[in-house]
């Protein structure tokens, strides 16, 4: 690889540093003169991996591309620009992305003017960027999570100066307000309330790829929510890696409970938020969720492990007891609440007994849903340097046992819905069958149902006939 002087490559050491510097908030988005209209008559395709933060970033990428004159396409064939917005959370996420970039080589061979760009969390990783630069000549543009606002000038350089552009800042600089947005959902919208993460759980790459925690101001968030309300959106999800820590970086007196209450008052029918770290989940938050009908009775509360020593080595700063205490408070105080979780099995040197502790807590909580993962060492993180004599087969067996257990309880919970009528916000036709509609309950249960004259964005009452492990089946009444 020929490193060019103008390339700005990522650096994990720099990404780890946290300073007290105040964050600049930039309100304007100016397209450089030479980049205006560069997309006229041209099309783009965006492929998105990873979490909702990435989904929302893709909406900004699309918004910027629209403002340059490009038109969005649903397929990568015959487009002029392809952006792949990537996720680095686990190795298998990365492998999928590399597979897709490999497939796009065919399109690049057929059209050497095609701009293939890679952005998102994988672009923040040193090793990976080197691989992309060396082995994937079809990638003409690489930019990081802190460089999105520079897309117009970067595209100009690739398209008209025929440069290979690499611009990846390791450190967050500013919070950009008012970047254009092309929302992909017509009745559901994402709203960022904060960027980055300072928790540094020892297994996790996010604090390195997304930078330090930067909350948006309450005024900006409420303004955006009000706008979505005026546009008729039915559901919004407030986004942050750890929403409970909202505001602490701006003013120690500011908190998520306060924000959530103000958002609820605007009157959007459904409000969700993700993710809640058990560490700073306050009683005030529970009270606000319980108080407002338009804050959905659904909490995603990642457990990660049920063993105290593992939790300590993960840097999670709670114990299995304090998790249970919080869990019990949530289910007691919030009527009909559903709770989901994330669990990692096979953390370095996790013993059978430690894994059993996770099963024990899963038995107690009987979660509605769970996202379960085998630990994946992320280069540069402390857990990746921990000794790990546990073989992969054992980890796979643990994952299977864990899944069998939570599936059993999820099915039980969903069976309890049989015979009940639930309110569903309609998404559209079900993925599998276009005579069947699908949507979600307030408790975030996926419902597939039949009915007449139904439009996406409608609220309908559905009688649940069958509860299954991952969904409910029913008909409109
Ligand atoms: N901010 C959220 C999590 C975001 S990542 C939180 O703290 O809850 C989503 C999930 O991916 C995590 O909850 C964790 O269960 C899983 N995860 C993160 N890093 C991982 C790794 N290195 N290996 C396996 N799973 C991981
Ligand atoms: Fe990762 Fe922990 Fe931050 Fe969640 S809270 S994003 S798991 S470091
Ligand atoms: Fe993946 Fe980055 Fe989100 S690593 S989970 S896309 S913050």
């Amino acid at each position: 690889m020929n490193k060019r002087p103008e390339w700005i490559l990522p650096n994990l050491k720099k990404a780890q540093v946290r300073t007290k510097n105040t964050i600049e908030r930039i309100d304007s988005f100016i397209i450089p003169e030479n980049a205006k209209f560069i997309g006229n008559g041209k099309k783009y395709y965006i492929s998105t991996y990873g979490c909702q933060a990435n989904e929302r970033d893709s909406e900004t990428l699309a918004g910027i591309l629209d403002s340059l004159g490009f038109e969005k396409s649903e397929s990568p064939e015959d487009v002029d620009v392809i952006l792949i917005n990537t996720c680095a959370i686990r190795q298998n996420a990365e492998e999928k992305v590399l597979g897709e970039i490999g497939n796009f080589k065919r399109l690049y061979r057929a059209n050497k003017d095609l701009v293939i760009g890679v952005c998102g969390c994988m672009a923040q990783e040193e090793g990976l960027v080197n691989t992309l630069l060396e082995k994937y000549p079809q990638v003409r543009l690489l930019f990081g999570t802190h460089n999105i606002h520079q897309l117009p000038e970067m595209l100009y350089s690739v398209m008209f100066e025929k440069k290979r552009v690499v611009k990846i800042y390791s450190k967050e600089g500013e919070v950009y307000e008012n970047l254009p947005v092309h929302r992909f959902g017509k009745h559901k919208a994402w709203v960022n309330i904060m960027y980055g993460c300072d928790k540094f759980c020892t297994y996790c790459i996010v604090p390195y790829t997304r930078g330090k925690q930067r909350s948006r101001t309450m005024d900006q968030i409420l303004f955006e929510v009000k706008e979505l309300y005026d546009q008729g959106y039915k559901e919004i999800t407030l986004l942050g890696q750890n929403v409970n820590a909202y505001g602490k970086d701006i003013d120690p007196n500011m908190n998520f409970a306060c924000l959530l209450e103000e958002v609820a008052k605007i009157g959007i029918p459904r409000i969700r938020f993700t993710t809640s770290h058990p560490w700073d989940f306050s009683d005030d938050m529970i009270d606000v969720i319980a108080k407002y009908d338009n804050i959905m009775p659904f909490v995603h509360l990642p457990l990660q492990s049920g063993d105290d020593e593992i939790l300590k080595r993960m840097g999670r700063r709670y114990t299995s007891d304090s998790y249970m205490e919080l869990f019990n408070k949530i289910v007691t105080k919030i009527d009909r609440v559903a709770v989901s979780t994330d669990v990692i099995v096979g953390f370095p040197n996790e013993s059978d007994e430690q894994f059993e502790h996770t099963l024990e807590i899963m038995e107690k909580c009987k979660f509605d849903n769970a996202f379960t993962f085998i630990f994946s060492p992320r280069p540069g993180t402390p857990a990746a340097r921990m000794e790990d004599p546990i073989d992969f087969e054992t980890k796979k067996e643990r994952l299977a046992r864990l899944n069998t257990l939570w599936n059993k309880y999820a099915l039980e919970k969903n069976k309890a819905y049989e015979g009940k009528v639930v309110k569903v916000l309609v998404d559209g036709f079900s993925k599998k069958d276009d005579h069947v509609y699908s949507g979600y309950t307030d408790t975030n249960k996926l419902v597939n149902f039949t009915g007449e004259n139904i439009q996406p964005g409608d609220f309908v009452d559905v009688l649940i006939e069958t509860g299954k492990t991952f969904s409910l089946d029913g008909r409109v009444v």
Side-chain angles (χ1 to χ4, degrees):
M1 173 186 44
N2 247 334
K3 282 193 181 150
R4 313 237 178 99
E6 68 265 32
W7 284 356
I8 302 172
L9 294 159
N11 178 308
L12 280 174
K13 285 239 152 49
K14 273 198 215 159
Q16 192 174 0
V17 176
R18 291 295 184 264
T19 60
K20 290 238 176 325
N21 296 355
T22 42
I23 293 293
E24 244 187 282
R25 290 166 199 280
I26 297 182
D27 275 340
S28 57
F29 172 68
I30 298 159
I31 301 172
E33 234 10 82
N34 59 6
K36 280 183 181 161
F37 317 115
I38 59 173
N40 279 3
K42 296 192 163 75
K43 288 195 276 189
Y44 69 90
Y45 172 77
I46 302 181
S47 177
T48 309
Y49 293 82
C51 64
Q52 294 95 334
N54 254 18
E55 300 274 340
R56 179 61 187 79
D57 281 352
S58 286
E59 294 182 338
T60 301
L61 294 168
I64 296 176
L65 290 168
D66 290 352
S67 72
L68 299 175
F70 289 94
E71 196 189 316
K72 184 168 180 282
S73 168
E74 298 305 322
S75 137
E77 309 290 326
D78 298 323
V79 298
D80 304 278
V81 173
I82 294 178
L83 294 182
I84 306 153
N85 194 5
T86 63
C87 171
I89 202 81
R90 284 171 292 276
Q91 200 185 335
N92 54 6
E94 299 197 338
E95 281 161 6
K96 266 196 250 162
V97 169
L98 292 177
E100 182 167 59
I101 303 173
N103 289 339
F104 288 151
K105 193 168 191 176
R106 168 182 64 87
L107 300 172
Y108 181 64
R109 277 208 200 102
N111 170 16
K112 283 282 163 28
D113 288 328
L114 172 64
V115 179
I116 299 182
V118 175
C119 56
C121 288
M122 275 168 75
Q124 296 295 137
E125 285 186 283
E126 280 170 48
L128 222 129
V129 166
N130 287 336
T131 308
L132 285 172
L133 288 170
E134 277 168 21
K135 303 213 174 112
Y136 295 79
Q138 67 269 41
V139 175
R140 307 301 302 158
L141 168 65
L142 261 159
F143 61 100
T145 57
H146 309 304
N147 304 82
I148 291 176
H149 60 284
Q150 295 160 328
L151 183 58
E153 60 252 42
M154 292 189 291
L155 264 183
Y156 177 83
S157 289
V158 183
M159 290 168 68
F160 297 98
E161 298 168 347
K162 300 292 168 196
K163 285 185 180 166
R164 196 178 195 196
V165 174
V166 182
K167 207 165 187 187
I168 302 156
Y169 294 164
S170 297
K171 283 191 68 57
E172 68 294 331
E174 301 88 5
V175 166
Y176 282 84
E177 294 292 350
N178 302 326
L179 293 183
V181 54
H182 173 149
R183 297 200 187 265
F184 300 152
K186 298 275 176 289
H187 58 274
K188 289 192 198 176
W190 310 113
V191 177
N192 285 318
I193 64 166
M194 62 211 294
Y195 305 99
C197 179
D198 290 341
K199 292 283 191 252
F200 286 101
C201 302
T202 57
Y203 50 81
C204 183
I205 194 76
V206 173
Y208 307 79
T209 64
R210 294 272 169 179
K212 89 169 176 183
Q213 178 180 316
R214 287 106 64 215
S215 297
R216 292 178 69 202
T217 65
M218 193 128 132
D219 285 350
Q220 293 279 9
I221 297 166
L222 295 177
F223 183 82
E224 183 175 343
V225 174
K226 178 77 176 42
E227 231 174 27
L228 291 166
Y229 174 79
D230 291 339
Q231 289 163 8
Y233 276 85
K234 303 284 169 57
E235 176 175 310
I236 59 162
T237 304
L238 306 177
L239 296 181
Q241 287 302 337
N242 172 23
V243 292
N244 316 12
Y246 171 76
K248 290 183 177 172
D249 50 303
I250 305 184
D251 169 355
N253 297 317
M254 184 132 46
N255 62 57
F256 184 58
C258 235
L259 173 72
L260 195 55
E261 179 149 32
E262 291 309 311
V263 168
K265 285 182 193 161
I266 292 175
I268 291 205
R270 285 189 167 191
I271 296 156
R272 300 185 189 278
F273 53 89
T274 198
T275 303
S276 294
H277 191 303
W279 179 357
D280 13 43
F281 208 117
S282 69
D283 287 358
D284 285 351
M285 261 180 74
I286 301 179
D287 292 340
V288 171
I289 302 167
K291 179 171 163 193
Y292 288 88
D293 285 345
N294 61 343
I295 302 177
M296 295 299 96
F298 171 73
V299 177
H300 183 60
L301 195 69
L303 167 68
Q304 313 300 4
S305 164
D307 181 81
D308 290 345
E309 201 255 337
I310 298 279
L311 283 170
K312 195 162 184 190
R313 285 203 284 123
M314 286 178 162
R316 291 292 286 182
R317 308 208 196 181
Y318 52 83
T319 61
S320 53
D321 283 349
S322 66
Y323 184 94
M324 276 315 300
E325 197 185 319
L326 173 63
F327 178 90
N328 286 331
K329 246 192 270 181
I330 290 172
V331 295
T332 319
K333 287 193 171 173
I334 307 170
D335 194 28
R336 297 189 308 110
V337 74
V339 185
S340 65
T341 198
D342 291 346
V343 181
I344 298 176
V345 300
F347 189 74
N349 214 5
E350 180 192 52
S351 68
D352 281 333
E353 194 189 342
Q354 289 175 320
F355 170 64
E356 294 292 336
H357 290 155
T358 298
L359 293 181
E360 279 165 27
I361 205 163
M362 298 296 285
E363 285 271 1
K364 287 187 199 154
C365 294
K366 303 181 174 51
F367 291 103
D368 287 86
N369 200 355
F371 301 88
T372 56
F373 312 103
I374 293 177
F375 167 74
S376 168
R378 302 288 69 213
T381 62
R385 295 189 289 270
M386 293 177 191
E387 234 177 281
D388 190 11
I390 314 295
D391 62 280
F392 198 67
E393 274 312 305
T394 308
K395 297 186 181 199
K396 281 208 297 207
E397 280 165 26
R398 287 181 189 165
L399 184 71
R401 277 183 69 195
L402 178 69
N403 285 342
T404 308
L405 182 70
W406 82 258
N407 286 354
K408 180 177 96 180
Y409 291 121
L411 178 62
E412 242 173 52
K413 293 244 154 148
N414 288 350
K415 285 258 170 234
Y417 277 77
E418 289 178 0
K420 290 188 179 152
V421 174
V422 293
K423 196 165 277 313
V424 173
L425 175 57
V426 183
D427 280 336
F429 291 119
S430 115
K431 286 195 182 123
K432 291 189 196 133
D433 180 345
D434 65 6
H435 297 293
V436 178
Y437 295 90
S438 77
Y440 285 83
T441 64
D442 56 354
T443 50
N444 212 31
K445 301 273 178 195
L446 172 64
V447 186
N448 294 310
F449 57 94
T450 52
E452 305 275 316
N453 300 326
I454 295 164
Q455 297 298 322
D458 286 352
F459 282 104
V460 291
D461 289 324
V462 176
L463 171 68
I464 300 304
E465 292 166 323
T466 319
K468 304 198 283 199
T469 308
F470 305 104
S471 61
L472 309 171
D473 286 349
R475 63 182 159 83
V476 169
V477 287

